[in-house]
Amino acid sequence: MGEAEPTPDLQRVARLVILAGVVAAGAYLYFLLSPSHRGTPWVWALAAVAEGLTIFQALTVWWTVIAHGGHRDPADVVAWRERLLAGIDVPPVDVFVTVAGEPLEIVSRTVLAARDMRLPHETWVLDDGRSDELRAFCERTGVGYLRRPDRRHAKAGNVNAALARTSGEFVAIFDADHVPTSDFLVEALPHLVDRRVAFAQSPQWYGNRDHLVPIGASESQRIFYELICPGKNHFNAVFCVGTNVVFRRAALAEVGGLYAESLSEDIWTSLLLHRHGWRSVFVPKVLARGLAPDTLRGYLKQQFRWARGGFELLFTGRLLRGGGLRLDQRLQYLFTSTHYLLAFATLIFQLLPAAFLLLGDAPVRAGFTTWLAFYLPFSLLLLVVTYLQAGGFKIAAIVASLGAAPVHVQAFLSVVLRRSSTWNVTNARGSVQSIELVLPQFALLVVNLLAIGVGVAALTPENRTGTFLAIFWAALQALVLARVVAEAFLDAARQRRELVRPPRQRGRRSEAEFARGA
Amino acid sequence: MTDLDERAAGTAASEPPARDGGPTVDPGSPFVGEQAHERRQHLRRAAGGRRHAVLAWLAALAIVAAAVYGGIRLTGYRLAGQTQLELGSAMLTASPVSVPSPGDGQVVHVYVHPGLHVRAGGKLVRVRFFGTNSSGGPSSSLATITAPGAGIVSSVAAPKGDAILRGDALVQMYNPQGDTFQTTIDTATLGRLRKGMHATLTSPALPHPLAAVVDHVVQPAAVSDQQPGSTTTTATAPGTMMLVLRPVHPAALGRLIPGLKVNVIVHTATGPKHAPSLARLTS
């Protein structure tokens, strides 16, 4: 990715399609909201909410994406890069690798890669996992090792503690499982040549793609980093994603380090920096290779954290009031924080066909062809835009994002109800899990299968078209949900295999397990 | 879940810290106590995890069971729903009987008043008829007009002393036993109806639903002829007909007042299977 910038031609085509998409979305909304097409009121209202969210989401993405014209590095960035490579005026740079109990086999690769990056820098391991083995490893390899007395405020606290004990003008941050390329500093650092730039963020890229979860996680990320982030860059609204980023220490100092009051310290820190007038830059090049969550549990946990971060921002970020932000930035933050509302649309779409099949309540009352005439252009254009822009998409990404909807809703509720900020499907670390993880998805699957059964049983010549259409939708939903539920069991089987066999070198496991040689 | 709880507590308590040769801990390290504590917590979590897993499977089973039960109920409900045709509101419509005067004369006495139940042959009015006798002179004769059938007097058209001509209405009666329910119906719906299908009539004014059968359809115009007093039922749109439903037990109508509105549901699975649809009868 990254290197494959969309060509101007493709962008022009995409813009045309987006224009058509806006028209189609308007026509579809008109059809849906017109009173003469209203079906059973409550089903209609749900459908209107879901389609409204979908259309809003599409418009926000299109608005962001259309700003992305493919930019080259500005001249001053290139000039500073040349000087850095020549060894002139290289500023002091600290490189942090944050560790929180990841196994040494994973951490060591990241640490060595960070140490061996081009341009002079000091590398520090920030160990919240308190591993003596890791300390020994750092001593052997000549890397700084920092351990703090407590673990308050998770990663933000870890980084802030390290900021207090180091002094480099710039600070690069990597998660323990994101291995930087040797060019990271050469590519990213020059973007901070402008003294108003607080940080330069490069994409997260996942190298492990051997089954549904990591593939889905990587693919849905890809759209974000290839399309959304370049667009956000145009609006000076790129936010930090916590790793593969290089900060200007002076900027962090101005806002008191990473924002410690949330587990989504990255986006909150970005918001604070933008409020203080700092700029941010997106570097559209893969400069680190990470590990996608490779268990469903890890994936859902990550999704919960991200969704929670978004909703926190939405409800407590004072995005519309609060000073310091330009209108474009407010909009972009608003778009980001509302992104996971799409989960409600997903849930509704997973239930609408069932509502029709089970109860006979349809959202709209119109002939099949009339409905199709309004619905098809909109949904096709939605797909075409994404396809053109992203250069295709994988089923795994769709399954993964649809399957995470219940978790996104849980995150929403946790923010609204002020519940704990971690996802608590309680399960012992390392133990094999299955149905517990996917109960909501399982329930949705059962409802859809049930609906298909009842729909077939109650088939009459009068409701045939509607029933067939609903069965088709319900079957699609059931396939996706079944795949997610199946993944929970595949996951468990995979873990059982790994417990028996010597560990394959991938995935995060707890320190305790690693120490036991599990 | 108590046994599981106990087992969980037992596991956590009996497990010595780092029994299975866990990470060797530097005794001088300030984290010794903490690591042992973490280990105990880990084990407690493991036991809690097992309990959660059992609960999760029970929940999954409950979901499936609820789905099977709900599916059967819903299927039954949907199938029943399909054989029910909602026709909306129908009106109890009386068949009025007008008792005419057989000749010219004057009302001498009225025996009835509106609301009175009258048997067949019951006295209604005494009339003095004027005529010519055989010799051509004026003559008069007294006669009592009786009810042609049982019913209720709805109005007295000619009070005492009124002069009447032959054919003038003396008394308006109606027969509640002959009342029907009438509703406008889309001609497209007629195809689903056959004579003899059962219908359920409900109304907040009725203590029990009434049973009725589909009888016949009439042109709306015909209804308005029969019912000069009624204007509401005659306002029909083109493409609609008047469906007439006959109550199964006319006696059950009791003293219901014509004009009563009821809700009609026709059970399309009932009635003679081979009767032609009403659509064919009207076309």
Side-chain angles (χ1 to χ4, degrees):
Chain A
M1 66 152 285
E3 287 85 351
E5 291 271 309
T7 64
D9 275 351
L10 199 59
Q11 271 291 344
R12 262 199 296 277
V13 172
R15 281 173 196 195
L16 207 65
V17 179
I18 285 175
L19 195 67
V22 171
V23 173
Y28 182 51
L29 261 189
Y30 169 77
F31 164 80
L32 198 64
L33 296 182
S34 110
S36 57
H37 296 133
R38 201 176 294 167
T40 313
W42 69 273
V43 186
W44 171 82
L46 281 180
V49 166
E51 295 289 10
L53 281 172
T54 310
I55 290 172
F56 173 74
Q57 200 57 44
L59 292 180
T60 65
V61 169
W62 294 346
W63 174 256
T64 307
V65 163
I66 214 165
H68 163 41
H71 62 285
R72 302 195 180 286
D73 290 351
D76 52 346
V77 170
V78 176
W80 196 30
R81 183 173 296 138
E82 296 302 325
R83 285 158 57 81
L84 287 171
L85 285 172
I88 306 166
D89 294 340
V90 179
V93 179
D94 289 319
V95 175
F96 292 170
V97 177
T98 58
V99 182
E102 290 87 350
L104 184 59
E105 73 212 34
I106 285 173
V107 179
S108 59
R109 267 189 300 166
T110 309
V111 172
L112 291 180
R115 184 194 66 179
D116 297 340
M117 289 190 296
R118 294 165 76 191
L119 296 187
H121 62 275
E122 274 196 74
T123 305
W124 301 92
V125 171
L126 281 47
D127 187 14
D128 262 4
R130 295 175 181 157
S131 157
D132 295 328
E133 273 177 306
L134 182 54
R135 172 154 54 191
F137 173 81
C138 290
E139 272 167 23
R140 275 204 310 281
T141 51
V143 168
Y145 178 86
L146 298 174
R147 188 191 279 190
R148 55 183 178 139
D150 57 45
R151 289 189 192 176
R152 290 179 60 229
H153 301 316
K155 183 169 143 192
N158 197 6
V159 169
N160 289 343
L163 283 173
R165 294 160 74 179
T166 55
S167 62
E169 187 183 345
F170 297 100
V171 179
I173 300 175
F174 297 100
D175 280 353
D177 56 0
H178 283 265
V179 182
T181 62
S182 63
D183 275 345
F184 178 85
L185 288 177
V186 173
E187 289 290 345
L189 187 58
H191 286 280
L192 292 146
V193 64
D194 182 343
R195 297 198 159 274
R196 293 170 302 166
V197 174
F199 63 89
Q201 175 69 55
S202 78
Q204 286 189 21
W205 190 89
Y206 292 142
N208 54 326
R209 298 175 176 224
D210 53 356
H211 58 99
L212 177 86
V213 167
I215 295 174
S218 319
E219 279 294 314
S220 37
Q221 287 274 75
R222 205 171 62 91
I223 291 176
F224 177 72
Y225 288 113
E226 284 185 24
L227 299 180
I228 312 282
C229 282
K232 285 195 184 298
N233 191 58
H234 175 85
F235 296 113
N236 185 27
V238 172
F239 58 87
C240 165
V241 296
T243 180
N244 315 346
V245 59
V246 53
F247 276 103
R248 183 187 302 275
R249 181 183 289 266
L252 281 181
E254 192 179 319
V255 297
L258 291 189
Y259 185 79
E261 299 306 319
S262 165
L263 282 182
S264 304
E265 77 290 334
D266 38 21
I267 193 164
W268 278 100
T269 308
S270 313
L271 180 64
L272 276 177
L273 287 169
H274 281 135
R275 280 200 196 285
H276 279 77
W278 289 94
R279 299 183 57 81
S280 60
V281 174
F282 178 70
V283 186
K285 277 185 184 163
V286 174
L287 299 172
R289 283 159 205 272
L291 287 175
D294 82 335
T295 63
L296 191 62
R297 178 176 156 74
Y299 169 72
L300 293 178
K301 204 170 167 178
Q302 180 200 52
Q303 289 294 310
F304 181 88
R305 197 162 51 81
W306 289 356
R308 175 158 171 117
F311 291 132
E312 275 177 9
L313 212 60
L314 180 62
F315 289 114
T316 59
R318 293 163 53 80
L319 296 177
L320 294 180
R321 296 162 294 149
L325 293 181
R326 304 249 313 275
L327 179 63
D328 275 332
Q329 291 174 319
R330 288 186 202 282
L331 285 179
Q332 288 301 323
Y333 274 106
L334 201 66
F335 296 167
T336 300
S337 61
T338 50
H339 173 78
Y340 289 101
L341 286 180
L342 207 53
F344 286 98
T346 305
L347 282 193
I348 291 172
F349 287 137
Q350 283 170 347
L351 287 171
L352 274 188
F356 178 76
L357 292 172
L358 291 176
L359 308 171
D361 291 329
V364 290
R365 198 170 44 201
F368 176 68
T369 41
T370 318
W371 172 80
L372 205 64
F374 284 98
Y375 176 75
L376 207 57
F378 166 68
S379 50
L380 272 185
L381 285 169
L382 202 64
L383 287 180
V384 167
V385 173
T386 319
Y387 191 88
L388 277 181
Q389 294 268 335
F393 37 70
K394 291 221 164 77
I395 301 285
I398 297 168
V399 172
S401 57
L402 294 184
V407 172
H408 296 157
V409 171
Q410 282 171 332
F412 180 87
L413 294 177
S414 84
V415 173
V416 171
L417 305 175
R418 298 169 194 281
R419 290 267 179 77
S420 93
S421 57
T422 50
W423 189 49
N424 46 6
V425 166
T426 43
N427 206 315
R429 293 194 288 176
S431 91
V432 171
Q433 76 277 125
S434 49
I435 193 85
E436 183 182 5
L437 207 53
V438 288
L439 261 186
Q441 291 89 340
F442 179 73
L444 286 168
L445 170 65
V446 169
V447 167
N448 274 289
L449 292 179
L450 171 73
I452 294 175
V454 172
V456 170
L459 192 67
T460 62
E462 283 87 36
N463 67 12
R464 206 170 45 200
T465 319
T467 303
F468 282 155
L469 189 69
I471 286 179
F472 171 73
W473 279 122
L476 274 186
Q477 306 290 4
L479 275 180
V480 168
L481 289 163
R483 184 67 188 86
V484 176
V485 171
E487 187 61 25
F489 289 93
L490 293 173
D491 229 26
R494 236 178 259 122
Q495 285 184 7
R496 243 178 259 124
R497 269 204 304 278
E498 286 193 17
L499 287 175
V500 175
R501 277 195 317 207
R504 291 166 60 196
Q505 313 279 307
R506 69 142 211 260
R508 291 186 183 199
R509 279 197 309 280
S510 70
E511 185 191 17
E513 257 179 285
F514 180 68
R516 280 202 304 274
Chain B
M1 302 316 300
T2 35
D3 55 340
L4 279 168
D5 280 330
E6 277 162 20
R7 227 171 59 207
T11 323
S14 65
E15 196 80 25
R19 187 183 61 176
D20 55 347
T24 46
V25 179
D26 172 13
S29 159
F31 303 114
V32 176
E34 196 177 330
Q35 286 197 352
H37 174 69
E38 272 178 25
R39 185 144 193 82
R40 273 198 299 278
Q41 278 212 327
H42 172 73
L43 290 165
R44 203 168 295 142
R45 268 202 299 267
R50 274 194 298 279
R51 193 182 47 164
H52 268 270
V54 172
L55 279 179
W57 276 107
L58 285 178
L61 269 177
I63 290 170
V64 172
V68 170
Y69 175 76
I72 292 169
R73 288 298 298 267
L74 272 173
T75 308
Y77 166 78
R78 288 292 305 280
L79 289 178
Q82 279 167 5
T83 62
Q84 294 191 348
L85 186 60
E86 287 239 20
L87 291 184
S89 162
M91 189 187 277
L92 178 61
T93 308
S95 321
V97 180
S98 184
V99 181
S101 167
D104 304 340
Q106 189 184 20
V107 176
V108 178
H109 188 75
V110 178
Y111 298 98
V112 294
H113 53 86
L116 190 73
H117 283 249
V118 186
R119 281 176 287 109
K123 289 181 186 172
L124 297 176
V125 183
R126 188 144 177 89
V127 180
R128 184 188 297 279
F129 289 115
F130 303 112
T132 45
N133 56 17
S134 51
S135 58
S139 72
S140 69
S141 59
L142 283 170
T144 300
I145 309 297
T146 57
I152 301 171
V153 175
S154 56
S155 69
V156 176
K160 182 178 175 183
D162 256 24
I164 44 172
L165 295 175
R166 182 191 186 85
D168 277 359
L170 296 173
V171 169
Q172 289 282 4
M173 290 178 60
Y174 72 92
N175 178 5
Q177 309 279 314
D179 282 1
T180 56
F181 289 90
Q182 303 194 348
T183 180
T184 54
I185 184 172
D186 208 311
T187 44
T189 317
L190 283 179
R192 294 185 60 187
L193 293 176
R194 287 188 309 270
K195 183 180 162 83
M197 280 178 176
H198 292 248
T200 306
L201 315 178
T202 52
S203 157
L206 294 175
H208 306 291
L210 288 175
V213 289
V214 172
D215 202 73
H216 64 281
V217 283
V218 289
Q219 294 289 346
V223 175
S224 68
D225 282 348
Q226 283 182 5
Q227 247 192 310
S230 164
T231 51
T232 47
T233 52
T234 54
T236 51
T240 60
M241 300 281 278
M242 242 340 144
L243 176 72
V244 179
L245 297 146
R246 190 166 43 76
V248 175
H249 308 293
L253 294 183
R255 290 167 180 250
L256 291 180
I257 297 157
L260 174 79
K261 295 236 171 149
V262 293
N263 196 47
V264 181
I265 294 172
V266 176
H267 307 279
T268 54
T270 58
K273 291 276 178 265
H274 301 293
S277 84
L278 289 183
R280 197 168 302 164
L281 286 181
T282 50
S283 61

